[in-house]
Amino acid sequence: KNEVEQSPQNLTAQEGEFITINCSYSVGISALHWLQQHPGGGIVSLFMLSSGKKKHGRLIATINIQEKHSSLHITASHPRDSAVYICAVTNYGGSQGNLIFGKGTKLSVKP
Amino acid sequence: GAGVSQSPRYKVAKRGQDVALRCDPISGHVSLFWYQQALGQGPEFLTYFQNEAQLDKSGLPSDRFFAERPEGSVSTLKIQRTQQEDSAVYLCASSPDSNYGYTFGSGTRLTVV
């Protein structure tokens, strides 16, 4: 079983829809990252959080430490949001950067 | 530069050849990380530097993989005697410190034929 599980694996939405991507993990963590990867490989770090909730523009990330679960929400989705969204965690006690990655959620937003 | 720069962007190597992949992090970023991403998979951690010190190399898959960052800025990932299973995108990221997120480079796509 993977230590970081994401769902769904693939997601297709219509422009304007509210989107939720889920991440569950089985290890103790010191931080959780949400990353965005576009075709061609470039990765953008969206959020790093260890508790509560963060918001940036139309993106919202939440984490529940007790339930070992995080969600990434996209409001008013747009075709340019189409990408793979990756959840990654820093294992508590592990070195910085020794991230454990989920397999990613491929999001396609149709106009 | 403004971002993390990796070179070459693409590399085709014959099996058994040695390769060197370069990462130029954001100026002043203390931490530098290397990851390997096989086709269709999520990235996997290889190694981590804080300045010139390699603090964690637990993810390097074999002794054919070697990374260095001699002056605490540019880093090189070297793979000796490449094998087909080494084919992947090699990603580099840097960070000012542990309280900040990471900035990733565009990666080097290595194909071993």
Side-chain angles (χ1 to χ4, degrees):
Chain A
K1 186 179 188 304
N2 294 327
E3 292 165 304
V4 179
E5 298 272 3
Q6 289 185 235
S7 63
Q9 193 172 355
N10 293 283
L11 180 57
T12 300
Q14 287 298 125
E15 183 173 357
E17 285 185 358
F18 180 82
I19 288 164
T20 296
I21 298 171
N22 296 298
C23 175
S24 295
Y25 52 91
S26 58
V27 296
I29 68 166
S30 55
L32 182 142
H33 301 252
W34 280 104
L35 310 169
Q36 179 192 56
Q37 186 169 33
H38 282 280
I43 291 180
V44 174
S45 177
L46 299 175
F47 296 103
M48 184 175 82
L49 65 166
S50 54
S51 64
K53 176 180 174 178
K54 287 191 176 181
K55 184 177 189 293
H56 182 69
R58 295 180 295 107
L59 302 178
I60 303 166
T62 63
I63 188 168
N64 185 318
I65 296 294
Q66 286 73 30
E67 294 187 3
K68 294 189 175 180
H69 181 270
S70 175
S71 293
L72 176 69
H73 305 286
I74 305 175
T75 61
S77 59
H78 189 276
R80 64 174 175 267
D81 297 326
S82 298
V84 175
Y85 291 84
I86 302 172
C87 172
V89 303
T90 305
N91 198 349
Y92 186 77
S95 69
Q96 177 197 5
N98 192 339
L99 299 177
I100 306 169
F101 293 83
K103 292 188 183 299
T105 294
K106 186 174 182 180
L107 172 65
S108 178
V109 182
K110 306 294 187 186
Chain B
V4 177
S5 178
Q6 290 189 246
S7 62
R9 187 76 176 89
Y10 302 93
K11 176 70 179 177
V12 178
K14 291 185 177 179
R15 191 168 53 182
Q17 186 179 351
D18 297 350
V19 298
L21 312 179
R22 177 188 169 108
C23 173
D24 207 332
I26 292 175
S27 178
H29 276 199
V30 169
S31 301
L32 184 146
F33 319 96
W34 284 98
Y35 302 95
Q36 180 191 58
Q37 185 173 23
L39 188 64
Q41 303 295 315
E44 292 189 357
F45 170 79
L46 293 176
T47 187
Y48 154 52
F49 289 87
Q50 188 172 78
N51 296 307
E52 69 278 4
Q54 190 175 21
L55 298 188
D56 188 347
K57 56 181 181 179
S58 62
L60 296 176
S62 77
D63 58 9
R64 296 186 296 104
F65 286 70
F66 172 76
E68 60 183 6
R69 193 186 185 198
E71 297 179 358
S73 56
V74 171
S75 176
T76 304
L77 176 67
K78 297 179 180 178
I79 309 173
Q80 297 177 322
R81 304 181 303 281
T82 52
Q83 300 178 5
Q84 282 192 311
E85 62 262 30
D86 300 335
S87 295
V89 174
Y90 290 85
L91 295 162
C92 176
S94 70
S95 174
D97 67 30
S98 59
N99 294 318
Y100 290 85
Y102 306 161
T103 302
F104 284 79
S106 297
T108 294
R109 182 177 295 277
L110 172 66
T111 303
V112 182
V113 297

